[in-house]
Amino acid sequence: MLKQKSTRTNRFTAATNRHQRVYVENGNTNLPTEYASRLNFYSKAPPAEITIEEFETYALDRLQVLKTLETASLRNKHGPEFKKQVDQALEKHLPLKSNLSQSPSLLEERRKDHISHFVLRLAYCRSEDLRAWFLRQECALFKYRFEQESLEEKKNFVAGLNLSWSILDQSEKNEILDKLAACTVWKAGKTAQAAREMVHNETYFKVDFERVPDLINRRTVYITQGKAYVPMSEQVSIVMDEFRATLSAALEATSKALPRMEEDERLKPILLNVEKQYIGKDYGASTASGASIRASDVDQLVRQHAPLCMSNMHTSLRADKHLRHGGRMQYGLFLKAIGLSIEEALIFWRTAFTNHTDDKFQKEYSYNIRHNYGLEGRRVSYAAYNCMKIISGNPPSTGDHHGCPFRHFSQGNLESKLYSERLGAVQVNEIMNLVRDRHYQVACTRYFEVTHPQYGEKSKIDTVEHPNQYYEASRRLAKESQDDNGDDMIW
């Protein structure tokens, strides 16, 4: 049940107030059955009451974790580096301690994990693309958690799923021991005796072979009469297959029920906008992101530090001596956020629109510029557009130059633009592959890295979420270099 504000004390709060612990020990649990493990197939809806605040904030926290997993994967992070990045995101946004920790926060953490999954399932079930993205990231998160879990917890969790697997008994294992060992030699130091000992001590599951294509591809399982013999050490493969199938079916079912759920006016705005949410720094709503700049500085600063979307609009503005409304809004708020004051903004736009008379400029453009700075109309000082707003907003039509080049340019135009920026063929292909896979912000991040090669490892930045984040990162690198070399530049 959804409600505006909950005043009822839940079991976790009550236990905490009484200084009691909520934990699992020797199979005896003080946790509800659905939260006996931190692993979850999310087969049942959250049983508790949920406030509107929890509904939204829990979803956004989980979204940060899923995006971190996606970014780490796309940027080819592996081993300790991947683990460090994911663990930091989990600890900050979605902590989920094991039963062995005996933490008093177990129930609340698992409740948040449960609720946040279902909210995002609602938000990401409305289209095939969104469902595919959510399924991919949730599988990655589940796999990561499963691999971090202890062997005993894995066994308990799998036993509770009641899946149609059969454990290979000892007599049957002995009959095919040599064949199982042949699939294990590479793991056991490549000696037959070590392989046989490993098989003898390992638990095996017998499953239909079509359920473990990745293990077959790696030749790590023995197959006979349509059955694959999977060792406990490779159990994650068949568990993942079950999780993927279960969640995929659930997303399809949720998408069919969504129209009825959206009748609740409290939920609809959240469900429609959660995947577009930006929760980073708010650029330009109150203060600029750097020192004040003059209108005469804009050309150089944009050329050196602006992302492709802004430099494209600036180039078009200089060439056409005009920019249509969508471009003026996107580019004007960006300039405001980098430190262009209202007085300097009026000078910049007036000198840019040289084909217009002073009277026409005052009547048709001056008001909108002042409006963006909160000096007209409702007197609201507007923030610069973030990447998701630009990517998912109104696409540019003929004669427009706003939008995201990685999202809205044709492949041919984008390739030509990248080559004109003197990127090499390998770099262009790498960025274009990201664009084809719809990883527009990662493509922009990669563009930043290849256009700032002089800074080496320092050019490796977090995924770009905002054009002004890109601008600030570029200026920071240049300033650090200038401080080291004692050069004079515009700051």
Side-chain angles (χ1 to χ4, degrees), residues 308 406 414-432 443-453 470:
L308 194 58
F406 301 102
L414 181 57
E415 282 189 1
S416 298
K417 182 67 176 177
L418 294 175
Y419 279 120
S420 72
E421 298 288 328
R422 299 184 180 181
L423 270 65
V426 173
Q427 297 167 335
V428 170
N429 288 336
E430 183 181 358
I431 292 173
M432 293 305 300
C444 184
T445 307
R446 185 61 186 141
Y447 174 79
F448 178 97
E449 293 170 353
V450 300
T451 54
H452 293 74
Y470 182 112

Side-chain angles (χ1 to χ4, degrees), residues 20 25 30 93 108 127 166 179 224-225 248 314 377 383 402 405:
Q20 295 178 346
E25 184 178 37
N30 290 326
H93 301 290
E108 193 65 14
S127 73
S166 59
K179 295 181 173 63
T224 183
Q225 298 181 348
S248 180
H314 185 81
H402 66 275

Side-chain angles (χ1 to χ4, degrees), residues 40-42 117 135 138-139 142 238-248:
N40 198 334
F41 261 34
Y42 309 103
H117 170 88
L135 179 64
E138 281 289 331
C139 285
F142 181 87
I238 47 180
V239 175
M240 284 304 305
D241 181 74
E242 290 287 347
F243 180 80
R244 186 178 294 105
T246 300
L247 181 54
S248 180

Side-chain angles (χ1 to χ4, degrees), residues 280-299:
K281 183 177 177 180
D282 194 12
Y283 292 93
S286 55
T287 58
S289 60
S292 296
I293 64 172
R294 299 186 302 272
S296 57
D297 299 332
V298 172
D299 283 343

Side-chain angles (χ1 to χ4, degrees), residues 333-432:
L333 291 172
F334 168 80
L335 293 177
K336 172 192 171 188
I338 70 173
L340 194 67
S341 67
I342 179 59
E343 295 80 14
E344 292 294 328
L346 289 168
I347 295 172
F348 170 78
W349 289 105
R350 179 65 194 96
T351 55
F353 283 30
T354 55
N355 290 342
H356 297 75
T357 65
D358 287 340
D359 185 56
K360 182 178 177 64
F361 180 81
Q362 290 297 329
K363 287 181 178 179
E364 297 185 14
Y365 304 108
S366 178
Y367 177 89
N368 286 337
I369 296 170
R370 292 173 57 80
H371 188 271
N372 285 347
Y373 282 77
L375 302 176
E376 302 288 356
R378 292 189 298 147
R379 299 188 180 275
V380 174
S381 184
Y382 292 92
Y385 292 176
N386 62 69
C387 290
M388 283 309 301
K389 183 178 180 67
I390 294 170
I391 291 169
S392 60
N394 292 328
S397 57
T398 304
D400 287 327
H401 300 286
H402 66 275
C404 170
F406 301 102
R407 170 66 179 86
H408 297 119
F409 276 21
S410 67
Q411 288 201 19
N413 285 344
L414 181 57
E415 282 189 1
S416 298
K417 182 67 176 177
L418 294 175
Y419 279 120
S420 72
E421 298 288 328
R422 299 184 180 181
L423 270 65
V426 173
Q427 297 167 335
V428 170
N429 288 336
E430 183 181 358
I431 292 173
M432 293 305 300

